[in-house]
Amino acid sequence: MSIHEAIAGNMKRRRVELGLSLQDVADRASMSKTAIWELEKGRSPNPTIKSVLAITRALSMPMNDLLGMDVSQPSLSEAELALVSAHRAIFRREP
């Protein structure tokens, strides 16, 4: 499942749970009703962080719940972790 599909399903589920209309969410998020509808239908494949944050506030839900994944910690590959470790080692050295 893609991010925009997760947003669409989680957004609609929460909106219905709260008993809100599309216009209610749009008003709370300071967005157009059309923009909310597009997101809820999964027709907005790359929503801005501003839109995502507005929706989380409008629906009183954590970003992790809206996205359907834990975004609090980045997922790094072994190579990326090794690079971070090497960087830390270089910059911890005393002159």
Side-chain angles (χ1 to χ4, degrees):
M1 178 182 304
S2 68
I3 294 281
H4 68 277
E5 290 170 330
I7 289 172
N10 293 331
M11 197 173 150
K12 182 168 186 174
R13 188 171 16 268
R14 180 66 174 160
R15 180 179 65 79
V16 170
E17 180 181 290
L18 294 173
L20 299 173
S21 69
L22 289 171
Q23 188 63 57
D24 292 335
V25 176
D27 292 344
R28 288 179 173 203
S30 298
M31 295 172 67
S32 71
K33 181 180 173 182
T34 302
I36 298 298
W37 183 83
E38 291 283 334
L39 285 164
E40 196 173 281
K41 292 295 181 185
R43 295 183 180 173
S44 184
N46 193 18
T48 66
I49 189 68
K50 182 179 177 182
S51 296
V52 169
L53 290 173
I55 292 163
T56 60
R57 284 190 300 273
L59 296 175
S60 300
M61 69 187 304
M63 189 179 303
N64 287 348
D65 291 350
L66 179 64
L67 300 178
M69 63 172 45
D70 184 0
V71 294
S72 61
Q73 294 294 318
S75 299
L76 300 175
S77 68
E78 289 299 318
E80 291 167 326
L81 289 172
L83 183 61
V84 169
S85 181
H87 180 270
R88 287 181 179 155
I90 291 168
F91 287 98
R92 275 191 230 154
R93 292 186 184 155
E94 296 295 322

